Amino acid sequence: MACLATLALSLPGCALLMPYNPLPAELEERVQMPGMPGVRAWGDQYSESFEQSAAESIEQEKAANNGELEPVLNVLALSGGGAQGAFGAGILCGWTKAGTRPQFKLVTGISTGALMAPFAFLGSDYDKTLEEVYTTISSQDIYEPHNPVAILLSLINLKALPSMADTRPLTRLAARMVDAELLRKVAQEHLKGRRLLIGTTQLEAQRLAIWNMGAIAASGHPQALELFRKIMVASASIPAMFPPQHFEVEAAGSHFQEMHVDGGTRVQVMLYESSIRFVAVPSGRPRRLFIIRNEQVHPEWLKVKPQLKHIAIRTIDTLLKSQGVGDLFRLFVFAQRDQFDYNLVYIQPDFTQRPTSSFDTAYMNELFQKGFQMACCGQPWRKYPPGYEPTPSREQDDSPDPPMASQESSNRSGGSP
């Protein structure tokens, strides 16, 4: 989502809209994926299937660990940010280098975070893949711009185009990176009690859809791999810039289609939102939430030309930044409610390089190295959302913030999540 500015400036090919049979509004609460019930939920609504999956994950974890649970429950949330996902990739790889990166019970991803989430979920064995994706690709590996004349004709309803660019390159990249072996490994970890969630925006409903990617991988459905890839692409499909992804769904015995776009349209970073309540689940072991925000959260000065295009681009970028900061506060509230230790890292103001294109390879390499060095050096995680840090006069814990390289330890417990 953060790449809107440069993409709009760079925006050859024409496309016709496919026949579309949208899900009726009155059936949105009954929608399911054909042959894979319970693999998705609305982010703003309690889900019995997701609550059951959370409960099952405890028994699966015990079965995989000789009847015990891991001493600490670690959760990783990966935000949107376009090419700035290189920062998060660098953090993860540097964390591995430091030797203290934990295994995560739950990994969530939105937008560019969705593209890296499966690899972060599977652990350090996929660090090389993360580094390759975020330090070697360029714009041509992500999208193919449509002819400007075709875009103009579409804007005045003389031609049918769903977007300014085609994401067939991104689809090919996803197919290359996510193969049957990766799907098998995700399924294997899911059956050990770990969970991988990715968010997309159902555009017509204006709602966040959360996908249980491990359940999809473990379903054995012949279309599981194709669906897995499509969800990743959908979560990174900037609306209007990239075409939406259409999903075949069923409700009330009939088949329909849904239009899904970038998860960042709804939220820039997510947990499990309202889909899980942990009803009557006591706190039996420490819980830690780690958030990687692939963006700067502080205002950045930029001279704006007094022209419609530049004003619009700057306005959208400002709105996205504000939304992202708000999401960090929302997750802070979730952490307080569900007894998670809150840990946040984001791109620091001292990183002043600017990209020359949507996916500037040199810029992404610099950003990857920035994240890598921060993690290697044990840069402290921030314990509060930006702007909410305690003032010197406020009573606070005298202990320092935990460095990025540190990891709490506790006795093994058979307690709850």
Side-chain angles (χ1 to χ4, degrees):
M1 292 292 287
C3 295
L4 280 169
T6 50
L7 182 56
L9 290 172
S10 62
L11 301 171
C14 300
L16 294 175
L17 292 176
M18 300 296 292
Y20 183 57
N21 179 30
L23 176 78
E26 62 270 18
L27 295 180
E28 70 176 303
E29 303 301 342
R30 301 170 64 182
V31 67
Q32 293 285 351
M33 300 307 296
M36 288 182 272
V39 299
R40 53 169 274 193
W42 295 118
D44 58 2
Q45 181 175 290
Y46 173 72
S47 168
E48 289 186 4
S49 63
F50 272 40
E51 185 81 40
Q52 181 180 356
S53 180
E56 288 176 349
S57 76
I58 305 306
E59 299 308 314
Q60 291 170 333
E61 185 180 344
K62 287 180 180 179
N65 290 282
N66 298 316
E68 296 185 322
L69 295 175
E70 293 295 330
V72 180
L73 188 153
N74 293 295
V75 173
L76 174 67
L78 300 166
S79 86
Q84 294 181 113
F87 173 74
I91 289 287
L92 290 167
C93 293
W95 205 351
T96 298
K97 182 71 173 179
T100 52
R101 174 176 158 187
Q103 177 173 272
F104 299 104
K105 172 77 171 179
L106 169 65
V107 175
T108 75
I110 285 284
S111 196
T112 195
L115 297 180
M116 70 173 70
F119 309 112
F121 178 74
L122 292 177
S124 58
D125 287 348
Y126 281 85
D127 281 2
K128 287 295 183 183
T129 301
L130 275 175
E131 182 175 0
E132 176 189 349
V133 170
Y134 283 97
T135 62
T136 64
I137 65 169
S138 61
S139 297
Q140 65 185 12
D141 298 303
I142 304 299
Y143 65 89
E144 297 171 348
H146 288 305
N147 188 289
V149 175
I151 295 172
L152 178 61
L153 292 174
S154 185
L155 289 173
I156 59 176
N157 295 321
L158 294 179
K159 195 169 188 66
L161 279 179
S163 61
M164 294 186 181
D166 194 314
T167 50
R168 281 178 291 187
L170 177 58
T171 299
R172 290 193 292 267
L173 178 64
R176 179 165 63 89
M177 295 299 178
V178 180
D179 56 15
E181 177 62 12
L182 183 139
L183 193 75
R184 184 190 68 79
K185 290 181 178 179
V186 170
Q188 187 178 56
E189 294 305 310
H190 177 83
L191 296 175
K192 292 179 183 178
R194 300 176 63 218
R195 295 294 182 260
L196 171 63
L197 305 179
I198 284 177
T200 62
T201 299
Q202 209 279 34
L203 194 58
E204 288 162 321
Q206 291 188 322
R207 298 174 77 179
L208 176 70
I210 303 178
W211 302 80
N212 188 336
M213 303 297 281
I216 293 171
S219 69
H221 195 281
Q223 300 301 315
L225 179 57
E226 179 183 351
L227 178 62
F228 194 101
R229 294 166 174 167
K230 192 171 188 176
I231 292 165
M232 292 175 63
V233 173
S235 188
S237 294
I238 305 167
M241 299 297 140
F242 296 160
Q245 297 294 308
H246 292 166
F247 290 83
E248 299 290 334
V249 299
E250 61 182 11
S254 298
H255 286 253
F256 305 96
Q257 290 176 304
E258 285 185 324
M259 185 184 300
H260 287 250
V261 298
D262 196 317
T265 308
R266 191 64 180 80
V267 297
Q268 289 292 307
V269 63
M270 72 176 194
L271 195 49
Y272 36 75
E273 306 309 299
S274 298
S275 66
I276 301 174
R277 294 178 185 163
F278 293 117
V279 178
V281 177
S283 177
R285 55 175 166 170
R287 302 174 182 175
R288 295 189 299 176
L289 170 62
F290 296 95
I291 306 167
I292 299 178
R293 177 64 177 125
N294 294 301
E295 252 285 12
Q296 290 206 15
V297 301
H298 299 97
E300 300 171 86
W301 177 266
L302 179 68
K303 186 176 181 179
V304 180
K305 294 181 180 180
Q307 298 173 2
L308 173 61
K309 176 178 67 175
H310 299 287
I311 292 172
I313 291 170
R314 183 61 170 172
T315 299
I316 292 171
D317 282 348
T318 302
L319 286 169
L320 290 173
K321 179 173 293 217
S322 178
Q323 175 199 8
V325 172
D327 288 332
L328 298 178
F329 275 84
R330 193 189 76 256
L331 263 60
F332 184 76
V333 173
F334 274 119
Q336 296 294 303
R337 185 194 70 182
D338 295 338
Q339 300 178 335
F340 279 92
D341 175 41
Y342 182 93
N343 300 275
L344 168 67
V345 67
Y346 47 78
I347 302 173
Q348 296 298 298
D350 61 357
F351 185 82
T352 58
Q353 289 90 329
R354 293 191 178 277
T356 59
S357 63
S358 304
F359 292 86
D360 179 346
T361 307
Y363 169 83
M364 292 168 70
N365 272 270
E366 290 286 340
L367 198 48
F368 178 90
Q369 288 302 322
K370 175 69 173 179
F372 186 87
Q373 292 303 322
M374 284 176 64
C376 282
C377 297
Q379 176 82 15
W381 291 89
R382 297 180 181 269
K383 309 301 293 182
Y384 300 91
Y388 190 66
E389 295 86 353
T391 61
S393 61
R394 186 183 300 175
E395 186 176 338
Q396 55 184 299
D397 191 348
D398 292 329
S399 61
D401 290 348
M404 185 172 295
S406 74
Q407 185 172 355
E408 297 174 19
S409 62
S410 63
N411 296 327
R412 281 193 172 269
S413 167
S416 54

